[in-house]
Amino acid sequence: MSSSAEKIHRNPSKEANVTPFVHEKKKAITIFGLPLHWFGVITAVTLVSMYTGNLPGGMLGSLLVMMVLGELFGWLGDHTPIVKTYLGGGAIIAIFGAAYMVYGGWIPESTVTMITDFMKSGGFLNFYIAALITGSILGMDKSILIKVGLKYFLPIFGAVIGAMAVAGLLGSLVGFSLRDAVLVITMPIMGGGMGAGAVPMSQIYSELMGNDPSYYISMLVPALALGNVFAIILASILDIIGKKNPSLTGNGQLLKGFQFKEKPSSFDVQKMGVGLMAAILFFTVGTLLAGFIPLHAYALMIIIVAVVKIAGILPQSVLDGANQWYKFVAKNWTLALLFGIGIAYTDLNTVLEALTLQYILTVLGVIIGAVLGAGLLGKLVGFYPIESAITAGLCMANMGGTGDVAVLSASKRMELMPFAQISSRLGGALILLLAGLIIPLLM
């Protein structure tokens, strides 16, 4: 009797350690939060419209191509071994995938022109960066902003000295003169990009050394372009180093001892609209003041937003709205912007022409020197070395605003945009000043 009862109450599936009718589900592949087949349909419609010449003009067609292909390339980069770990992942594939499509003639000329106009005269880059600067500063803890601002220029100075020292040493070993290593390679890389760096620098070189400015532009641009590539790669490597050595990084926080955790808040569509208006307004004020003050509009904008934040004169609804709008823009348009950077700002011919071993080693020396100098001096003033190396080092050594987006995206630290912009704009102005002082010494 007991044996038959035992048989009745046995659970065969339990004894066999098997749960009936339960199958482990594989995680579905999604791109931009969409199932793969739906994203494929959207991509097909976009490509057919582009190649048949039926894309909407202006912002609509540009943003569609940039978002769809940017997200596609970003997904490929983030899921490709080696690329995702050491080469910047989606950020670098979005940029150079787009640049290669232009180089290979895979994008219709009309689409290239449309996206270039949207990025430059259409102001999409300014629109994006304005949102990041305004939202990240207004969403920042005021005490951190005050503490960081007073100390930040020391690691910038360290980046410049480190870049010159390492590039001068490596350059002399591979056959460059100190003059070429510093003036032709180091200075343009550390100079804050094309518009605020290489272009005015070519004017300074022309006035002090003779020759037409276009002669110097042809020498400065390859260094700038190649340096930007290495800056993106090293940003990804620094992110890996930080994961393996947690004591070196604040995971997006620059200053030690101040671990600001944002208060959770529900997203409000109306507040985001206020945030959008605030971003545009602050950029407009920066542009207005740039007409009277010899500083870039971004630099003036950073100063204005920081002063307003420290003064505490804005209502909480504006602070929340600006921060929420910045998150929306960063989440949805970063890869689109990077794709646009590849189309409008990245000349693959220029990069390829610079690829001699001596040139590559010297450019690499600039970037390594900037990282070491900024990281070491940043640590001395209480910054996390990884974040200091990324902002005061790599964001001095990239292509200005476009490079800042790529570097911070590759290092997964977009919240550091205000400090990246300080490096690119105010640091770039410092380089132009140094160029005028150094040239007579090296002639």
Side-chain angles (χ1 to χ4, degrees):
M1 185 78 177
S2 62
S3 64
S4 60
E6 202 174 56
K7 289 178 182 177
I8 292 172
H9 291 290
R10 278 181 185 160
N11 186 338
S13 62
K14 194 170 184 179
E15 287 184 350
N17 199 26
V18 175
T19 304
F21 310 115
V22 176
H23 300 282
E24 188 178 344
K25 291 183 179 179
K26 289 185 177 179
K27 189 175 180 181
I29 297 175
T30 62
I31 301 179
F32 200 50
L34 294 169
L36 189 59
H37 64 281
W38 276 112
F39 189 84
V41 170
I42 294 170
T43 303
V45 171
T46 301
L47 293 177
V48 168
S49 300
M50 181 173 72
Y51 288 119
T52 58
N54 290 303
L55 271 175
M59 180 183 76
L60 293 179
S62 299
L63 201 52
L64 178 64
V65 173
M66 289 161 61
M67 288 182 72
V68 171
L69 295 185
E71 291 293 335
L72 177 61
F73 286 167
W75 185 89
L76 290 172
D78 287 338
H79 291 81
T80 302
I82 300 177
V83 173
K84 70 177 182 180
T85 306
Y86 298 105
L87 300 181
I92 203 165
I93 296 300
I95 293 172
F96 287 99
Y100 184 77
M101 290 185 78
V102 175
Y103 177 77
W106 293 4
I107 296 183
E109 189 61 37
S110 59
T111 303
V112 173
T113 302
M114 182 173 66
I115 291 176
T116 301
D117 289 343
F118 178 56
M119 289 289 294
K120 294 183 177 180
S121 58
F124 184 62
L125 178 63
N126 289 337
F127 179 79
Y128 180 96
I129 291 178
L132 263 65
I133 291 174
T134 304
S136 51
I137 292 180
L138 294 183
M140 189 183 296
D141 185 88
K142 185 163 68 174
S143 59
I144 294 179
L145 188 58
I146 296 170
K147 288 274 185 181
V148 168
L150 296 173
K151 301 177 178 180
Y152 192 66
F153 278 95
L154 189 59
I156 283 182
F157 182 72
V160 175
I161 297 302
M164 288 183 180
V166 177
L169 177 62
L170 274 180
S172 63
L173 291 177
V174 298
F176 282 109
S177 67
L178 180 62
R179 174 176 174 264
D180 287 343
V182 172
L183 295 182
V184 179
I185 299 177
T186 304
M187 299 301 276
I189 291 175
M190 302 298 288
M194 279 291 295
V199 173
M201 194 176 293
S202 68
Q203 299 286 344
I204 294 172
Y205 284 8
S206 177
E207 292 173 10
L208 295 178
M209 296 190 291
N211 294 317
D212 190 76
S214 61
Y215 168 78
Y216 294 106
I217 280 284
S218 66
M219 294 193 299
L220 301 179
V221 168
L224 187 62
L226 191 56
N228 194 60
V229 173
F230 282 133
I232 297 170
I233 294 171
L234 260 70
S236 181
I237 293 173
L238 285 175
D239 179 51
I240 296 168
I241 292 172
K243 288 175 181 174
K244 293 183 177 180
N245 301 273
S247 63
L248 297 178
T249 179
N251 296 310
Q253 301 289 335
L254 184 60
L255 186 61
K256 286 185 177 182
F258 284 82
Q259 196 69 25
F260 172 60
K261 291 185 179 179
E262 197 173 354
K263 297 176 182 177
S265 61
S266 57
F267 278 81
D268 185 311
V269 175
Q270 187 171 7
K271 281 185 179 180
M272 288 175 66
V274 173
L276 164 61
M277 184 174 64
I280 296 172
L281 179 63
F282 278 117
F283 181 77
T284 301
V285 174
T287 304
L288 176 65
L289 291 178
F292 306 96
I293 302 172
L295 284 176
H296 195 280
Y298 287 161
L300 292 167
M301 180 184 176
I302 292 167
I303 295 169
I304 296 162
V305 178
V307 168
V308 168
K309 172 66 179 181
I310 292 169
I313 60 178
L314 291 179
Q316 191 62 41
S317 59
V318 176
L319 303 181
D320 291 342
N323 193 237
Q324 290 181 13
W325 174 245
Y326 138 71
K327 289 179 178 178
F328 174 87
V329 169
K331 177 70 175 175
N332 293 292
W333 287 336
T334 294
L335 287 170
L337 181 80
L338 296 177
F339 185 87
I341 289 170
I343 296 288
Y345 292 92
T346 307
D347 185 349
L348 209 55
N349 272 314
T350 300
V351 177
L352 293 174
E353 286 172 2
L355 295 181
T356 65
L357 181 59
Q358 294 92 335
Y359 200 89
I360 290 170
L361 288 174
T362 307
V363 171
L364 182 59
V366 174
I367 309 302
I368 292 173
V371 166
L372 293 175
L376 290 173
L377 287 192
K379 184 176 175 61
L380 286 178
V381 296
F383 293 167
Y384 285 101
I386 297 292
E387 277 70 21
S388 183
I390 290 170
T391 53
L394 295 180
C395 291
M396 277 283 287
N398 59 29
M399 292 184 71
T402 58
D404 290 341
V405 175
V407 163
L408 296 184
S409 178
S411 63
K412 302 176 180 65
R413 286 167 172 80
M414 293 299 289
E415 62 269 37
L416 294 174
M417 179 58 79
F419 306 111
Q421 285 296 300
I422 291 172
S423 298
S424 291
R425 301 307 164 188
L426 300 184
L430 173 65
I431 291 297
L432 293 178
L433 176 62
L434 285 176
L437 297 174
I438 291 174
I439 288 172
L441 299 177
L442 296 177
M443 289 296 293

